[in-house]
Amino acid sequence: MNNIVNTTNQNIYLEDRKKLNITGVEHVDKFNESCIVIVTTNGVVTIKGEVLNISKLNLDDANVKIEGHIDSMVYSNKSINHKKGLLKNMFK
C-alpha cells in the first residue's frame, strides 16, 4: 500500500454553494469572511462570498474545507509576491 500523498493533483468540490473542499492546497494567502485566497498546485484560487469560514485546513494532506455562502471562485496563474506588494505600498 502506498501512503504517499499526491499533491500535484488539484480538485474542487462544491456542495450547494455552501461547502467547498479543495485539494492540492499549498497555503492560504488571505482569509476573511468575504474573501479567501488559496495557493494551489494549479494556481491561485480566490473565493468570494459571505460568512466564509475555513472549517478544516490540513497542509500535510494539501486539503482545505470552507463553509459559508460562496458567490464566486476565480483561478489565476499569477504567483503571489508579498515583497513586491509591500514595496509597492511603501513607495506610493
Side-chain angles (χ1 to χ4, degrees), residues 35-72:
C35 180
I36 300 174
V37 179
I38 299 173
V39 178
T40 73
T41 56
N42 284 350
V44 177
V45 180
T46 302
I47 299 111
K48 293 189 178 182
E50 298 172 5
V51 195
L52 298 177
N53 180 43
I54 295 177
S55 61
K56 179 182 176 186
L57 174 61
N58 187 335
L59 295 179
D60 292 332
D61 291 339
N63 189 329
V64 67
K65 291 185 180 183
I66 297 168
E67 296 178 351
H69 179 78
I70 297 160
D71 292 325
S72 69

Side-chain angles (χ1 to χ4, degrees), residues 14 18 20 31 60 65 67 75 88:
L14 179 61
K18 294 178 184 172
L20 179 65
F31 166 62
D60 292 332
K65 291 185 180 183
E67 296 178 351
Y75 264 105
K88 184 178 178 181

Side-chain angles (χ1 to χ4, degrees), residues 70-83:
I70 297 160
D71 292 325
S72 69
M73 292 183 294
V74 177
Y75 264 105
S76 172
N77 289 328
K78 297 178 184 176
S79 63
I80 296 174
N81 187 345
H82 296 286
K83 290 180 184 177

Side-chain angles (χ1 to χ4, degrees), residues 79-92:
S79 63
I80 296 174
N81 187 345
H82 296 286
K83 290 180 184 177
K84 182 178 179 183
L86 178 63
L87 290 175
K88 184 178 178 181
N89 289 337
M90 287 175 59
F91 294 108
K92 275 189 170 183

